[in-house]
Amino acid sequence: IEDAAESFTNQWAGTSKAEFIGATYDVKSALSSLSDEAVGVFTSMAALTAKATKASTQEMVGTLTTGYGIFKPIMQDVTDMEWATAFSGAMAQTVASFKTNGQQMADAIRSIGAVAASANVPLQEQLAVLGQLQTTMPGAEAGTLYKSFMMKAAEAGEELGLSFTDSTGRLRSVTAILKEIKGLYPDLSQAAAQVELKKALGSDEALKFVLQMSSGLEALEANIEAIHRAMKGGTAVTVEMARAMNFDVGAQMIVLRQQVSNLFEILGRTLLPVMTRLTGSLSRMIVFFQNVARSI
């Protein structure tokens, strides 16, 4: 963990070694099953994603640990550390695609919770939907609208006479569902269509979700694919964005200061045994002379 903290602070501005190590305690407290190596990786991914998305390390630690509980169960084919890097890449790409930021995405994920994941909706689809909603609303509201839609989608499909579920009984993708709705109601601006949809969906929030999302289906599909590619690329997108944030003179001076601090800490650890022996010898010598002085 100390090696991970040193490596990170030697490269990226804004997070001190003490803050990094403190963040590892938060990761370990939230996810006690992680190995020490995984804790170091999770903290590195949180700090790097924070740098790339204009969030704080603490915010991203909370988002990563919350996201792990929500999304890891539907991504059993990857290890914990692979999941952390994939999640980092997905978050960075979402922020880049929709001009949102890490804090807003964190709010959106907390608001939707595990509702979509329990329906086995892939991570890339959830993040793309939340990102697209944030083009017109804050993250927390985006999560609330998505949650309202997901909770009533299957029931609404039956009421509308549409097929919102697949052969296994699971919900189809959001894009497939919205295409079904648009096939039934080509002009969603009509009041009659909105009244029928609201009755089937059960709330203003779910209706607002459909109206917001149905106008940009092609862009949504493209962004889902872009986020999926970013997940496969691990931290490539995150690193590219973090480097852009790390490029100015102020950031470079902070990195230099962090490197110097790390150097002095390493020197302190290296010299400590020597200094301990030296001060011990000096202490014994001083006590000897004290005793000599008393005897005169």
Side-chain angles (χ1 to χ4, degrees):
I1 287 172
E2 188 167 353
D3 288 344
E6 191 173 288
S7 175
F8 186 87
T9 55
N10 275 337
Q11 186 174 5
W12 306 104
T15 300
S16 69
K17 188 173 179 180
E19 289 171 336
F20 187 101
I21 292 174
T24 66
Y25 284 94
D26 295 333
V27 172
K28 188 66 173 177
S29 296
L31 303 173
S32 59
S33 63
L34 292 181
S35 66
D36 287 348
E37 185 182 5
V39 168
V41 170
F42 265 63
T43 309
S44 295
M45 291 303 99
L48 184 64
T49 309
K51 180 73 176 176
T53 63
K54 301 180 182 179
S56 70
T57 298
Q58 187 176 13
E59 286 169 343
M60 278 299 109
V61 165
T63 304
L64 214 73
T65 53
T66 299
Y68 181 86
I70 294 172
F71 301 114
K72 186 59 171 68
I74 61 173
M75 297 173 67
Q76 294 289 346
D77 57 329
V78 298
T79 66
D80 290 340
M81 289 184 284
E82 288 171 342
W83 181 89
T85 57
F87 185 79
S88 174
M91 284 286 288
Q93 182 62 54
T94 304
V95 168
S97 296
F98 299 103
K99 304 300 185 289
T100 180
N101 59 53
Q103 181 182 351
Q104 290 294 328
M105 284 303 302
D107 291 342
I109 290 170
R110 281 193 293 268
S111 293
I112 180 64
V115 171
S118 64
N120 215 41
V121 178
L123 172 61
Q124 63 267 22
E125 181 176 319
Q126 292 191 48
L127 294 186
V129 169
L130 292 171
Q132 186 155 316
L133 287 169
Q134 286 176 71
T135 58
T136 59
M137 64 188 71
E141 185 180 353
T144 299
L145 262 61
Y146 191 10
K147 181 177 181 179
S148 298
F149 172 78
M150 290 298 300
M151 291 179 70
K152 291 287 290 184
E155 185 180 333
E158 292 180 5
E159 188 165 334
L160 293 169
L162 301 174
S163 177
F164 289 176
T165 56
D166 59 22
S167 58
T168 66
R170 289 178 173 172
L171 279 175
R172 299 169 66 192
S173 68
V174 168
T175 54
I177 291 173
L178 292 174
K179 286 176 181 178
E180 288 274 331
I181 292 174
K182 289 196 74 173
L184 183 62
Y185 302 109
D187 186 2
L188 288 173
S189 65
Q190 292 186 353
Q194 293 185 21
V195 168
E196 290 181 18
L197 272 174
K198 181 181 175 181
K199 181 181 177 183
L201 292 166
S203 68
D204 288 327
E205 289 81 5
L207 174 62
K208 187 177 179 180
F209 175 89
V210 171
L211 297 178
Q212 172 77 17
M213 297 301 298
S214 60
S215 61
L217 281 179
E218 289 185 5
L220 177 61
E221 290 177 325
N223 283 312
I224 290 172
E225 181 55 34
I227 294 170
H228 190 218
R229 286 197 303 270
M231 289 172 63
K232 290 183 176 179
T235 59
V237 175
T238 315
V239 168
E240 182 181 354
M241 291 171 62
R243 280 177 178 161
M245 299 293 293
N246 209 50
F247 188 69
D248 63 90
V249 175
Q252 289 300 304
M253 292 302 295
I254 292 172
V255 170
L256 184 61
R257 188 163 63 244
Q258 290 171 180
Q259 290 171 342
V260 170
S261 176
N262 289 341
L263 172 61
F264 279 115
E265 187 173 330
I266 292 168
L267 287 173
R269 289 199 307 269
T270 303
L271 295 175
L272 182 60
V274 177
M275 292 302 296
T276 300
R277 289 194 297 271
L278 179 61
T279 55
S281 299
L282 287 172
S283 177
R284 288 191 296 272
M285 186 181 300
I286 291 168
V287 171
F288 171 77
F289 282 117
Q290 286 176 353
N291 292 333
V292 169
R294 288 194 192 96
S295 64
I296 295 174

